[in-house]
Amino acid sequence: MKLFDIDFESFRLESFETEKSQIFEELKQLAQLYYLGIEKRRYELYEKSLELVTKKEYASGGYSVFRGYYCPFLYETFAVGGCNRGTLLKRVTKKSKISYEYGYEKDQLILVKEFEDDTPEKPARKECVSAEFIERRGDIEIGVQVPLHRGDMDEVYERIELFTVCQYMGEQPYCKRQILCHKDRPGLKIDTIKRRVEYQKEWVTYQNGKPKKIDYSSYFMWNEVDSITLCFDEHGIPVQYYHGDERDRLYDVTKVNRKYYAQQYGMNDL
């Protein structure tokens, strides 16, 4: 299903840049996605996506990271302390606490449904509160997450929540970017974009199929561009990091965080 009437190749990045001018150009480029009219078609796209789904998977937990179990951002699952990607459910029963439903067209993930978190007032309430529509062309994938509130909250959540752009090398995403807009559409003037969006990106360097280094940067509404580099050992476990260009000031990743990261990705306790 074609979701985005836009040239996917125009979103390709060839390198990881942290200069402000380059970051703002990237922001301006991604801001165009807010003008594709997805929010007006969200329920229509939701129903069409459901018809195309041929396979489903379910996960429990993982609310604190984007897309739950299948979060494409390695740095996010490392940096959000005390949180995890959740667990993929082997089977679903009436007692299962479902957080996410992943819908596939053949082997391509096209729909992610997020369900409302359980609360003491509303235990095990399985209302779908948002959906992410995903389209991949070649090695570039674009996803848009929209709210699905249909009641009094509809006016509040009328806008698109966030866009995600991933570039793949085979099946490994190496360049990932995400833009979140606050209040109304950001406009295409850079001063307006600066005031209304949050932006993060990461660039993963792999060695023998495992991450060797992650370059990560973020920008939050008028703040400075913040960047960090996370270094991995031969097992694909993070061991050191440094900020910006301060390569001579390395910080060790704590043993607790290393063990936590290994557990997140099903590795042995190293």
Side-chain angles (χ1 to χ4, degrees):
M1 180 174 63
K2 186 175 181 179
L3 295 176
F4 307 102
D5 186 16
I6 199 165
D7 180 14
F8 274 42
E9 280 296 320
S10 66
F11 293 94
R12 183 182 299 280
L13 289 187
E14 299 297 341
S15 62
F16 182 85
E17 302 289 344
T18 57
E19 291 292 330
K20 278 188 179 181
S21 59
Q22 181 62 36
I23 293 293
F24 294 150
E25 284 301 312
E26 293 173 14
L27 284 172
K28 188 174 181 180
Q29 176 199 51
L30 289 182
Q32 299 176 61
L33 293 168
Y34 284 93
Y35 290 83
L36 297 179
I38 300 296
E39 75 276 17
K40 296 179 181 179
R41 302 167 53 212
R42 54 185 165 162
Y43 296 124
E44 172 194 347
L45 291 173
Y46 179 65
E47 297 299 333
K48 287 184 177 179
S49 296
L50 290 176
E51 294 175 2
L52 292 173
V53 168
T54 57
K55 182 179 71 173
K56 296 178 183 179
E57 288 184 320
Y58 298 90
S60 180
Y63 282 115
S64 299
V65 294
F66 168 71
R67 210 181 281 177
Y69 186 82
Y70 286 117
C71 178
F73 291 89
L74 297 180
Y75 182 79
E76 183 173 348
T77 52
F78 167 79
V80 183
C83 302
N84 58 58
R85 298 180 303 140
T87 305
L88 206 60
L89 300 176
K90 294 182 179 179
R91 63 189 183 93
V92 177
T93 68
K94 291 182 179 180
K95 294 183 179 181
S96 297
K97 294 183 177 181
I98 299 174
S99 304
Y100 292 91
E101 177 184 302
Y102 304 101
Y104 296 81
E105 183 180 14
K106 297 180 179 179
D107 293 325
Q108 181 63 50
L109 182 63
I110 63 169
L111 178 66
V112 179
K113 296 165 63 176
E114 181 178 353
F115 293 88
E116 191 169 55
D117 197 359
D118 294 343
T119 63
E121 296 80 17
K122 301 173 182 177
R125 181 181 178 185
K126 293 181 172 59
E127 178 184 354
C128 181
V129 295
S130 72
E132 183 188 10
F133 308 117
I134 301 171
E135 182 180 356
R136 181 171 172 178
R137 298 181 196 169
D139 62 350
I140 298 180
E141 175 188 275
I142 296 179
V144 53
Q145 186 183 66
V146 295
L148 290 178
H149 294 278
R150 294 178 181 268
D152 296 335
M153 295 295 289
D154 231 12
E155 282 186 34
V156 179
Y157 290 96
E158 194 65 33
R159 68 183 185 278
I160 289 175
E161 289 184 343
L162 56 84
F163 282 95
T164 306
V165 179
C166 295
Q167 291 172 218
Y168 284 81
M169 184 180 298
E171 292 306 313
Q172 292 180 317
Y174 67 92
C175 177
K176 293 150 277 189
R177 296 183 287 158
Q178 193 171 77
I179 183 171
L180 168 66
C181 180
H182 291 267
K183 299 180 180 178
D184 301 318
R185 294 175 180 177
L188 294 179
K189 291 184 178 180
I190 195 62
D191 285 344
T192 308
I193 293 174
K194 289 179 184 178
R195 291 196 302 269
R196 292 183 178 175
V197 304
E198 296 180 8
Y199 177 55
Q200 65 169 334
K201 68 174 178 177
E202 72 172 33
W203 188 286
V204 185
T205 302
Y206 292 94
Q207 186 175 47
N208 298 324
K210 295 179 180 179
K212 179 183 179 182
K213 182 181 72 167
I214 292 178
D215 292 301
Y216 174 87
S217 69
S218 61
Y219 170 84
F220 298 98
M221 298 183 297
W222 286 117
N223 291 340
E224 292 292 315
V225 174
D226 183 34
S227 63
I228 189 170
T229 297
L230 187 61
C231 304
F232 294 72
D233 64 13
E234 68 274 15
H235 302 290
I237 302 296
V239 290
Q240 291 181 316
Y241 65 93
Y242 59 87
H243 295 278
D245 295 325
E246 300 177 351
R247 293 180 176 83
D248 57 335
R249 298 185 63 181
L250 288 171
Y251 299 89
D252 291 332
V253 174
T254 66
K255 185 176 180 180
V256 172
N257 279 353
R258 292 181 74 231
K259 179 178 179 181
Y260 176 77
Y261 186 91
Q263 292 173 340
Q264 282 288 286
Y265 289 92
M267 301 176 182
N268 295 326
D269 187 1
L270 300 173

